[in-house]
Amino acid sequence: RRGDRHRTFVEEVAIAVVVGGPPFLDRQDARARHVHLPSGDRQQLAEAGVVERRCRDEAAVEGGGGRVVPALLAKARFGVPYVTSYGFWYAQLSEPGPKRLLKGVVERLGLRHAAAVIATTEELRDRAALTARRVELIPNGVDLRLFRPADVPRPAGRRILYVGRLSPEKNLATVVTATSYVGDAIFVLAGSGVLRDPLQALAREKNVPVEFLGVIEQAKLPAVYASSDVFVLASFTEGHP
């Protein structure tokens, strides 16, 4: 990189092409340009190359989890460096079998070829450092100015909230069953995933009121939390994404 060697880590990766996320969410400010591209789309990865050529010395592609594969492809094809987040041990949390082995290989490749890795815990930092050339520790945080109890209108009945993917490792069927014993409670799910229809069917079977909110914008999540009585995370496994 060119420029002041003493720039902070965040400043060094301020101009970024981000693989994954909402399509073409484009933001320009005094310091950074972020272009979000859906994972795996060749045409849009080509678009990343256009941006990369426009800011050759400053571009970075960020990949994390499933997005590291397009990041590796962009690096191989366009020479774009990427920064990857490392929020949990992807291979270890997979079910035993070929998928676990494949994820282990992808994980090692993603860490080895990254310009830098952002780890969220000291344990993950130490693990990533075995493979990656540079690792930065940036723990998860909560903005207490936004996520705090607030006086907002509350619907009738007790609201049990879950926010995240509707996927098997989240153990949501157990929460549906448990809600059936609560009484005047409604199970509110914010997120999307393959289990929406099975969970809806189970809720009908158990006579449990459920509300599927779909994916909620980050800016709207504080109000969703504030309007609920309890947040439940019943996952079989969790990392620190």
Side-chain angles (χ1 to χ4, degrees), residues 171-231:
N171 194 25
L172 295 171
T174 297
V175 183
V176 172
T177 301
T179 304
S180 68
Y181 295 100
V182 175
D184 63 339
I186 179 172
F187 186 23
V188 181
L189 301 96
S192 63
V194 296
L195 290 187
R196 172 166 178 158
D197 290 343
L199 288 170
Q200 202 159 34
L202 178 62
R204 284 195 298 267
E205 177 188 328
K206 300 290 185 181
N207 197 29
V208 172
V210 292
E211 183 178 346
F212 292 94
L213 302 180
V215 178
I216 302 294
E217 294 178 25
Q218 184 73 17
K220 296 180 180 179
L221 277 176
V224 173
Y225 281 103
S227 66
S228 301
D229 297 283
V230 176
F231 172 79

Side-chain angles (χ1 to χ4, degrees), residues 87-240:
F88 55 92
W89 190 355
Y90 298 96
Q92 184 66 17
L93 294 181
S94 299
E95 295 181 5
K99 274 191 175 182
R100 174 179 285 190
L101 296 175
L102 179 59
K103 286 184 178 181
V105 171
V106 172
E107 179 178 298
R108 289 192 295 273
L109 286 173
L111 295 173
R112 182 178 300 122
H113 293 285
V117 174
I118 300 172
T120 53
T121 69
E122 292 183 2
E123 180 183 5
L124 289 168
R125 177 189 61 187
D126 294 343
R127 176 172 175 76
L130 297 174
T131 307
R133 70 186 81 174
R134 179 179 180 182
V135 183
E136 299 287 340
L137 175 63
I138 305 180
N140 290 328
V142 176
D143 189 341
L144 296 180
R145 297 169 300 177
L146 299 175
F147 291 90
R148 59 189 178 89
D151 293 327
V152 297
R154 287 177 175 269
R158 287 172 289 185
R159 294 173 68 82
I160 299 171
L161 175 67
Y162 165 78
V163 179
R165 293 191 310 277
L166 310 184
S167 52
E169 73 276 8
K170 301 301 184 180
N171 194 25
L172 295 171
T174 297
V175 183
V176 172
T177 301
T179 304
S180 68
Y181 295 100
V182 175
D184 63 339
I186 179 172
F187 186 23
V188 181
L189 301 96
S192 63
V194 296
L195 290 187
R196 172 166 178 158
D197 290 343
L199 288 170
Q200 202 159 34
L202 178 62
R204 284 195 298 267
E205 177 188 328
K206 300 290 185 181
N207 197 29
V208 172
V210 292
E211 183 178 346
F212 292 94
L213 302 180
V215 178
I216 302 294
E217 294 178 25
Q218 184 73 17
K220 296 180 180 179
L221 277 176
V224 173
Y225 281 103
S227 66
S228 301
D229 297 283
V230 176
F231 172 79
V232 176
L233 187 65
S235 305
F236 294 118
T237 59
E238 278 293 339
H240 298 84

Side-chain angles (χ1 to χ4, degrees), residues 8-23:
T8 66
F9 172 71
V10 173
E11 288 174 326
E12 286 180 2
V13 296
I15 299 179
V17 180
V18 182
V19 175

